[in-house]
Amino acid sequence: MMELNVNKTINHLFRGSSWLLVSQIIPTIIKYSKFKHHFIININESGLQEKYDTLFSNLGYADYEYWGALSSANKYVTQNKVNFFAKLRSRYRAYLSAKKMNNIIIHSEMNNSIFYFLHTSESAWCCWGNTSQIKHTKWYHFFYKDFWYKLFLDRCKMIITLTDLDKKAFEDAYGYSKIILSSYSYIYDFKALKPREKYSGNRVLIGNNACYLEEYLDIAMKLAHLQGLDLTFMCSYGVNHESIYYQNWRKNIEEVLGHKNKISFWTNNLSLADYNKEMSSYDVYICPVKRQTGLGALTTAISLGIKCYCIGVNYDYFKKKELNIFSCLDLSDITEASLLNFDKDMRQNNILLSSEKCSCHQSVEEWENIYSNLLKNLS
């Protein structure tokens, strides 16, 4: 892989398990950006490295590396006998220092992984949601998380949010003026999405990943009065499928819904083409998570003409784009017909508007300004 010119390179750190999203963002950056980019993919799952190698090979791009259990970063930590406490505070600090890699855009939700970057004052963070972590009600959370989150955020050169509500959460909590609102600029091949001619089935998809099994169970309880549905729960990543916790959760879902409905679990990681094909077979998509998550899955569903229910940040995000979506709050006493029926004109409006409202071209210039400003901060 080619040597980095650290003074002119934008470094991106992505969570590799979010394959479908990341595999669309990276080609857009390479295609549309005038800057030089280095990609760091954090993977700890078998099979993903081969997928990313193929992606970069097809793009003719070699400026990337991996983090994770078998990565060069982890080998550096092991070979240099970095002690346990150093790993706990900043797992890859020594590696980053050795590479002189400070100008990083960290693409992640708000969780403990951002603590790895407390040492760098030249980073930017693109928030993937979970801003409920900003403030806690218990006094000991100040020492456990709040202090460290604020230290990280204070040291970031800029913070990018994808939704208005996440931006407001940071402004209200900390009074920051460095929050930038921008959608992801990623190539979304709307021509490859082929809406069905008829929507008269009973297939319902609940997503978007198994990080939200409690929310899945809650929505299952809301739908327990319905019958005759073909329900699928998206669990392709976010949980160990062999764990007792997951197995017990599956049993609970089947007990709540299985006696009146058909239940299945989507556990396979699919290619983008197969993912779009599978998504197109559903009539309703439900995302019952209040935080920002699964914007790509919802965009796909809306573009395919699927009736979508969501809540919280996601609901606010798509409503502001003037798309026809529905609230999960209305599901408690809904009938089968009301759940499945979707006005033809509203459906067609979503299909037409989604390519306009969710196009990558709107945000390409915004991200070029983000890259430019980050590099200016380094000069």
Side-chain angles (χ1 to χ4, degrees):
M1 300 179 187
M2 64 181 70
E3 286 292 316
L4 294 180
N5 182 337
V6 296
N7 293 320
K8 296 182 179 179
T9 299
I10 300 293
N11 301 291
H12 298 266
L13 175 63
F14 285 105
R15 183 182 64 196
S17 60
S18 299
W19 158 252
L20 287 169
L21 176 63
V22 177
S23 66
Q24 294 179 81
I25 296 171
I26 287 175
T28 313
I29 294 172
I30 293 171
K31 180 175 181 178
Y32 291 110
S33 180
K34 65 184 178 185
F35 296 99
K36 183 179 178 182
H37 298 269
H38 177 71
F39 299 98
I40 307 163
I41 314 298
N42 189 15
I43 55 173
N44 292 289
E45 301 174 28
S46 60
L48 281 175
Q49 183 167 331
E50 182 179 351
K51 285 187 174 183
Y52 282 102
D53 282 341
T54 301
L55 172 68
F56 284 110
S57 176
N58 290 339
L59 294 169
Y61 204 84
D63 203 348
Y64 69 98
E65 63 180 292
Y66 296 106
W67 281 12
L70 302 177
S71 69
S72 55
N74 192 66
K75 289 176 182 177
Y76 187 95
V77 169
T78 303
Q79 291 168 1
N80 288 273
K81 298 181 179 179
V82 177
N83 65 43
F84 175 79
F85 186 69
K87 287 183 184 179
L88 186 64
R89 285 187 56 212
S90 182
R91 186 177 179 187
Y92 297 118
R93 178 175 182 173
Y95 180 75
L96 291 169
S97 298
K99 300 279 281 190
K100 295 183 172 59
M101 195 186 298
N102 285 320
N103 47 321
I104 295 178
I105 300 180
I106 304 155
H107 305 257
S108 76
E109 63 265 31
M110 194 167 193
N111 59 30
N112 292 352
S113 66
I114 62 177
F115 296 160
Y116 299 156
F117 302 92
L118 289 173
H119 72 284
T120 176
S121 59
E122 304 294 351
S123 61
W125 177 44
C126 182
C127 173
W128 282 10
N130 205 22
T131 51
S132 61
Q133 296 290 320
I134 289 175
K135 293 290 182 182
H136 297 89
T137 56
K138 298 186 179 352
W139 66 269
Y140 54 81
H141 283 155
F142 172 79
F143 300 100
Y144 173 52
K145 285 187 176 181
D146 294 355
F147 174 81
W148 298 107
Y149 279 139
K150 189 174 187 307
L151 180 59
F152 168 77
L153 296 170
D154 284 346
R155 293 175 68 82
C156 282
K157 287 296 183 184
M158 62 183 74
I159 299 167
I160 304 117
T161 66
L162 306 178
T163 66
D164 286 318
L165 290 185
D166 283 345
K167 180 176 185 289
K168 187 175 185 302
F170 286 116
E171 290 173 339
D172 290 348
Y174 303 119
Y176 289 137
S177 61
K178 58 183 176 182
I179 313 293
I180 299 168
L181 176 66
S182 178
S183 299
Y184 261 129
S185 57
Y186 58 91
I187 295 173
Y188 213 92
D189 189 359
F190 290 97
K191 293 180 180 179
L193 300 175
K194 302 189 182 303
R196 307 203 310 268
E197 292 184 5
K198 294 183 179 180
Y199 298 81
S200 56
N202 64 342
R203 300 202 71 200
V204 179
L205 179 64
I206 300 170
N208 71 313
N209 67 70
C211 292
Y212 310 109
L213 297 186
E214 295 302 319
E215 286 86 347
Y216 283 5
L217 185 57
D218 180 64
I219 211 69
M221 298 294 289
K222 285 183 169 63
L223 300 176
H225 63 286
L226 301 179
Q227 58 185 348
L229 299 177
D230 184 351
L231 294 148
T232 300
F233 292 83
M234 296 180 78
C235 302
S236 56
Y237 73 91
V239 71
N240 179 358
H241 295 135
E242 304 301 320
S243 68
I244 294 175
Y245 171 68
Y246 175 72
Q247 294 300 324
N248 287 338
W249 171 83
R250 282 186 60 149
K251 289 179 183 177
N252 289 335
I253 292 291
E254 288 165 351
E255 288 175 2
V256 171
L257 293 170
H259 60 293
K260 295 181 181 178
N261 305 279
K262 179 181 177 182
I263 307 296
S264 58
F265 302 91
W266 179 343
T267 58
N268 296 328
N269 283 306
L270 304 178
S271 68
L272 182 59
D274 288 340
Y275 175 87
N276 290 338
K277 182 178 179 180
E278 176 66 20
M279 286 286 283
S280 69
S281 68
Y282 293 92
D283 302 282
V284 172
Y285 178 71
I286 300 173
C287 181
V289 186
K290 291 181 179 179
R291 56 158 282 191
Q292 175 229 308
T293 183
L295 295 180
L298 278 161
T299 300
T300 299
I302 291 168
S303 303
L304 287 167
I306 297 169
K307 186 178 184 180
C308 293
Y309 291 83
C310 53
I311 194 171
V313 177
N314 288 347
Y315 183 82
D316 178 80
Y317 177 84
F318 286 103
K319 272 295 182 183
K320 286 179 177 175
K321 291 183 178 293
E322 300 176 336
L323 293 164
N324 297 300
I325 57 170
F326 301 84
S327 173
C328 292
L329 298 176
D330 299 329
L331 293 174
S332 295
D333 55 358
I334 200 167
T335 64
E336 290 87 353
S338 295
L339 173 71
L340 297 169
N341 291 343
F342 193 18
D343 180 79
K344 183 178 179 181
D345 291 336
M346 294 175 71
R347 187 193 307 276
Q348 192 60 32
N349 183 69
N350 276 1
I351 294 171
L352 295 174
L353 275 182
S354 57
S355 59
E356 172 191 337
K357 300 287 186 178
C358 304
S359 170
C360 74
H361 299 287
Q362 296 183 34
S363 53
V364 166
E365 186 175 345
E366 294 173 4
W367 277 92
E368 287 295 274
N369 290 332
I370 290 170
Y371 303 145
S372 178
N373 288 334
L374 183 60
L375 291 176
K376 283 179 184 177
N377 287 330
L378 296 173
S379 59

